[in-house]
Amino acid sequence: MNNLEWLGEWYQRNCDGGWEHSYGIKIETLDNPGWHVSIDLKETDYYNLQIDRLNQDNGDNDWITCSITDGVFKGFGDNLKLDKIIQIFRNKVENIDFNGGNQL
């Protein structure tokens, strides 16, 4: 399953009749150009998910930044990094251990 399909399924699993009215996922373009992905973790099993801030900058056409702040995953990247941003989030979600915290 590709990352966008996986993200759609993650969203569907978290829709409970209420969550999706206040929270959700935003995928937007940036004017430099690039992508901004915002994924609300509030009121999900992933609210306490943590990630070390990732910041790679190899110039105007090769950069990515991802973090989780106040229960929101935020990913920014150049115009070719949308899939990688989603993959970083997917990796964190798929490697969480609900009994003992993050595995990664």
Side-chain angles (χ1 to χ4, degrees), residues 1-38:
M1 169 183 320
N2 72 43
N3 288 326
L4 196 54
E5 291 169 330
W6 178 89
L7 187 60
E9 287 190 9
W10 183 90
Y11 174 75
Q12 183 178 12
R13 284 191 309 272
N14 285 284
C15 291
D16 62 5
W19 179 82
E20 64 275 15
H21 293 282
S22 298
Y23 308 109
I25 298 169
K26 294 179 187 172
I27 299 175
E28 304 171 309
T29 56
L30 302 173
D31 63 359
N32 56 345
W35 294 99
H36 171 218
V37 177
S38 177

Side-chain angles (χ1 to χ4, degrees), residues 52-99:
D52 292 331
R53 183 179 179 90
L54 168 70
N55 188 14
Q56 297 175 346
D57 187 351
N58 298 315
D60 291 344
N61 297 314
D62 186 9
W63 59 275
I64 188 169
T65 300
C66 295
S67 63
I68 296 176
T69 305
D70 297 326
V72 179
F73 172 89
K74 294 182 181 181
F76 300 87
D78 65 67
N79 57 350
L80 298 177
K81 294 294 189 301
L82 179 58
D83 189 64
K84 185 167 184 168
I85 292 167
I86 297 170
Q87 182 67 54
I88 290 167
F89 177 71
R90 180 179 184 174
N91 288 347
K92 290 305 289 186
V93 166
E94 289 182 340
N95 289 296
I96 192 169
D97 173 7
F98 288 107
N99 297 315

